[in-house]
Amino acid sequence: MNSSVISRRIVQLILIMIGVSVVVFLMLRMIPGDPAQLLLGELASPEELAALRHDLGLDRSLLVQYTIFVKNMLAGDFGISMRTGTPVINEIIPRLAATVELSVAGMVIATVFGILAGILSAVYKNTVVDYTAMLSALVGVSMPVFWLGLMLIYVFAVHFQVMPMMGRMEMGTEMHAITGLVLVDALIHMDFAVFKDGLRHLVLPAVTLSTIPMAIIARITRSAMLEVMNQDYIRTARAKGMEESVVILRHALGNAFLPIITVLGINMGLLLGGAVLTETIFSWPGLGRYVVDSLMGRDYNAVQACILIFAVLMALINLGVDVMYAFLDPRIRVDGD
Amino acid sequence: MKTFVSLLVAVMMFMPSLSMAASDTLIWGRGGDSVVLDLAQATDGESIKAGIQVFENLVKFGDNSMDVEPQLAESWEISPDGLTWTFHLRKGVKFHDGTDFTAQAVYDSFARIIDKDHPFYGYGKWKYLSLSLKYVSNIEIIDDFTVSLTTEMPYAPLINNLALWLCPILSPKAMAEYKDQIGMHPVGTGPFKFVEWVKDDHITMVRNEDYWGGAPKLKKIVLKSIPETATRLMALQSGTIDIADDLDPDAITLVKKQKDLVVKENASVNVGYIAMNTSKPYLADPRIRQAINHAVDKNILIQTLFQGLAIPAKNPFAPSIWSYNDEIEPYAYDPAKAKELLKEAGFDFGREIELWAMPVSRAYMPDPVKTAELIQAYLSAVGVKVKIVRYDWGTYLSKTSNGEHDLCMLGWLGGNADPDNFLYGLLSADTAQTPGASNVAIWKNAEFTDLVKKAQKTFDKAKRTDLYKKAQVIAHDEAPWVPIAHTKVVRCFHNRVQDVPLRPNGLNSFEMVWKK
């Protein structure tokens, strides 16, 4: 991957951001619902509504509003939340950290167990192992997140009382946030009690979040593995007398990784933006819930900022996937196209 | 080694470290987070719930009633012309930041809302002025502990406004320091001091050891946002939290079955109603509106959709508010009479009428869509064809205040609990002007409006009561609404929590609460 590819990617990113900002800006204003009316509720007088619209800048033309939005954004200012009056960025950063922590944990579980299940069912194709793994994948992808989350809470937090029920830390824990990621902060502070507590709080929501991507990863891994397992070089490796585990993990999995990485990237993006249900069930103070609440309140500035952040994250993940391709497949590294 | 490590991790993860909240910490679960903690800027219940632990007003509502009592003002008097209110303030009170509470604090807290030249005016967006200080034209510091408010016209409901969350007294030092971020850093004189707010997660408060009313018994309150009702219910059932707010009627039924949980109920101040747009010619005849009242069986509605947690409404406001006219006979459920009245009034049975259903559930209307469907069925039983119409909440509110509907569902959570708030605010000719009508029946009755405006200028409670009782008779006979129900306020908690107060608007300071 040479520098021209990277610079082309950056130009693409900028174009995407401009497109996303226009689309989000217009769509928000096209959906019915007046932020001022929603803020003031049932007994708002026309004067109060007009005054608030003026304060929020909603009485200006769309073009002026958009220009202000872009100008401020370029200066790193995403505006003031219409609902709370605080800078949107201050609302987003702690929630983004919570979402990142949860999605990464969910993705780690999904990747480890998904790939493992995929390899096993490819190696033991058409056996009980294969059928069990693929049936579990079917169940995993079809199970409503909502139901699974509530059941996990009921079984582990209410019935056996071995896991915490909600939130990121024990209520009343005070820790100075540095990164906003509880586990990382706990390690920085060398506070292992908090680390353990944070980890325990992470398990149930991360498992809930992991089932769907895990199932997808398992299926993709299985089919990618089956494809390469029939290749000549695998036969050659075996013929050379290599150990079966080396054949599978190095020669087969290494070459089957490209489609798996693609799926990992897509799913990571989905988890970052789509953890709303899991966050709601487990009272996880993440960004997914915030976007929904902001959208319901027509908090234009907050929604715009969140969507732009999601777009950047998505683009970065895609870039990461491309870099991984290059790393895994020397052929991509050379020509860049 | 590997096995040992994984075993250790497994044991660590599953080691029960179940936390029962310490006996002097109250964990209070609720459906959503607060929006802003400067209550003069708040319009949502979750902000008020937290803020009233921190702030106090000149006067307050009773712990379990809506009668106005002294708080930071020990006494007050009204000038003979009814224009000037003089308040004598409590001495020796300190704000949480250590500064003294004086008349200056009252001045700054109020002037920032109404005086565009006040240095703090730009630090907030002042909401619901008509419920706070809209009619106050002047604030004057008479001495350190005496302050007077002058109104543009004699305005008796002002005292209720002052008890409302919208008129909190803040520390002037904090307002100057935090500027437009005061909503994140509340500093008042109340029983609890604000400590921390992690958005969408929790708000922590600790007791104010120097509270003028004596330090509260609880050491700490944690208000925890638990958006999913099922999770909140399980948290209460398992004892993880002490109080669970905003449970739906089904969940409350489950709570009632568990022995160590308590469901406390109180009469409320809210009202849910169907407003009939009297400006539409086909709804202009009072007999048609009376017929629609006769066609709806409120008792069935309340039993099925409110799970019995409401009382049927016959007047525009609830019996927990003074001057409620209990002599009024409600319209009985009588489909035959309804048909008769419709025929008599020459109603066009070929016409389809729109019933606008609220898209969100509110305390006064827990299941709006099913309520609309039931009412549609009741009306079709007397020959009135009804089409249910839905909009998103913001559009709904602006279109109804524009008078575009035929029938619409709406309600009022109770405001300042003064009859004026319901009768003038929701039914007078002044508030029926479109756009922006809060009287969404667009009902302009001169006699009714005269009575309620006269009552605003009457300071003698007995005389005001007379005026309001007469006004309620007119509202009943002319029938601009089908009053549906006054839902009860409910608080569900663990029985280790003691002396939980429950005001009819559901918003209390927890200074006297303690845990066993």
Side-chain angles (χ1 to χ4, degrees), chain A residues 267-323:
Chain A
N267 277 285
M268 188 65 213
L270 286 178
L271 286 199
L272 280 173
V276 186
L277 288 181
T278 312
E279 286 175 1
T280 305
I281 299 165
F282 289 95
S283 310
W284 195 268
L287 206 54
R289 253 170 77 196
Y290 180 67
V291 179
V292 173
D293 288 347
S294 302
L295 192 58
M296 294 313 251
R298 302 286 185 274
D299 192 339
Y300 295 158
N301 293 343
V303 178
Q304 282 161 192
C306 290
I307 302 287
L308 282 174
I309 286 173
F310 285 142
V312 172
L313 283 176
M314 208 61 185
L316 288 178
I317 289 169
N318 275 325
L319 193 65
V321 168
D322 286 352
V323 172

Side-chain angles (χ1 to χ4, degrees), chain B residues 128-244:
Chain B
Y128 285 165
L129 278 186
S130 54
L131 279 176
S132 63
L133 301 169
K134 186 176 177 185
Y135 300 108
V136 174
S137 52
N138 189 39
I139 309 162
E140 201 176 327
I141 300 174
I142 294 170
D143 61 45
D144 267 0
F145 294 98
T146 315
V147 69
S148 74
L149 305 181
T150 307
T151 52
E152 289 161 3
M153 53 167 192
Y155 188 62
L158 180 69
I159 196 73
N160 281 55
N161 286 10
L162 294 176
L164 213 57
W165 76 89
L166 292 161
C167 300
I169 309 298
L170 287 78
S171 151
K173 180 170 165 256
M175 289 189 279
E177 185 181 335
Y178 294 116
K179 302 193 167 67
D180 60 351
Q181 295 306 308
I182 185 74
M184 295 285 291
H185 304 94
V187 181
T189 57
F192 293 93
K193 292 184 190 183
F194 169 79
V195 179
E196 184 194 38
W197 183 3
V198 178
K199 290 283 182 81
D200 275 351
D201 196 58
H202 68 272
I203 292 176
T204 310
M205 291 174 283
V206 293
R207 88 173 139 222
N208 174 6
E209 302 285 352
D210 306 320
Y211 184 54
W212 59 268
K217 290 168 183 159
L218 290 171
K219 193 174 169 192
K220 204 178 203 184
I221 295 181
V222 179
L223 279 145
K224 172 89 183 156
S225 306
I226 310 173
E228 169 53 35
T229 308
T231 313
R232 205 158 56 244
L233 175 65
M234 284 195 278
L236 179 68
Q237 288 175 323
S238 64
T240 313
I241 59 175
D242 297 304
I243 301 181

Side-chain angles (χ1 to χ4, degrees), chain A residues 80-127:
Chain A
I80 301 287
S81 159
M82 294 179 181
R83 285 189 307 153
T84 64
T86 44
V88 166
I89 199 74
N90 294 355
E91 304 262 349
I92 288 179
I93 285 173
R95 291 178 171 94
L96 181 64
T99 292
V100 166
E101 189 161 44
L102 178 59
S103 329
V104 169
M107 212 51 212
V108 167
I109 297 175
T111 311
V112 170
F113 290 97
I115 291 182
L116 200 66
I119 294 174
L120 285 177
S121 50
V123 173
Y124 301 104
K125 194 181 141 194
N126 294 336
T127 65

Side-chain angles (χ1 to χ4, degrees), chain B residues 219-390:
Chain B
K219 193 174 169 192
K220 204 178 203 184
I221 295 181
V222 179
L223 279 145
K224 172 89 183 156
S225 306
I226 310 173
E228 169 53 35
T229 308
T231 313
R232 205 158 56 244
L233 175 65
M234 284 195 278
L236 179 68
Q237 288 175 323
S238 64
T240 313
I241 59 175
D242 297 304
I243 301 181
D245 280 353
D246 318 308
L247 293 178
D248 55 39
D250 292 332
I252 292 171
T253 314
L254 291 174
V255 173
K256 279 182 177 164
K257 285 183 186 153
Q258 192 172 326
K259 270 193 219 123
D260 57 351
L261 301 182
V262 184
V263 178
K264 184 168 177 166
E265 294 176 11
N266 197 358
S268 77
V269 285
N270 65 38
V271 60
Y273 58 86
I274 308 282
M276 294 174 271
N277 189 342
T278 62
S279 70
K280 303 272 176 155
Y282 41 91
L283 292 170
D285 190 327
R287 286 173 299 183
I288 290 171
R289 304 194 299 261
Q290 289 165 359
I292 292 175
N293 267 282
H294 276 301
V296 176
D297 189 346
K298 291 172 201 169
N299 287 320
I300 294 287
L301 249 166
I302 287 167
Q303 273 166 34
T304 52
L305 299 179
F306 294 71
Q307 310 269 13
L309 291 169
I311 56 168
K314 62 179 180 181
N315 288 327
F317 57 86
S320 59
I321 294 172
W322 60 277
S323 82
Y324 180 81
N325 192 341
D326 212 9
E327 283 150 29
I328 285 172
E329 264 309 307
Y331 291 105
Y333 173 56
D334 189 345
K337 181 142 191 211
K339 275 186 205 159
E340 200 178 299
L341 281 167
L342 287 169
K343 274 185 205 138
E344 205 181 294
F347 181 75
D348 172 10
F349 287 94
R351 173 183 284 282
E352 190 178 54
I353 289 187
E354 287 186 357
L355 168 60
W356 289 25
M358 285 164 51
V360 292
S361 83
R362 297 296 244 202
Y364 51 72
M365 198 68 78
D367 198 340
V369 175
K370 283 196 189 137
T371 305
E373 285 165 0
L374 205 54
I375 287 170
Q376 181 186 38
Y378 278 130
L379 291 183
S380 85
V382 298
V384 178
K385 277 188 263 177
V386 171
K387 180 180 155 199
I388 295 178
V389 174
R390 296 184 71 183

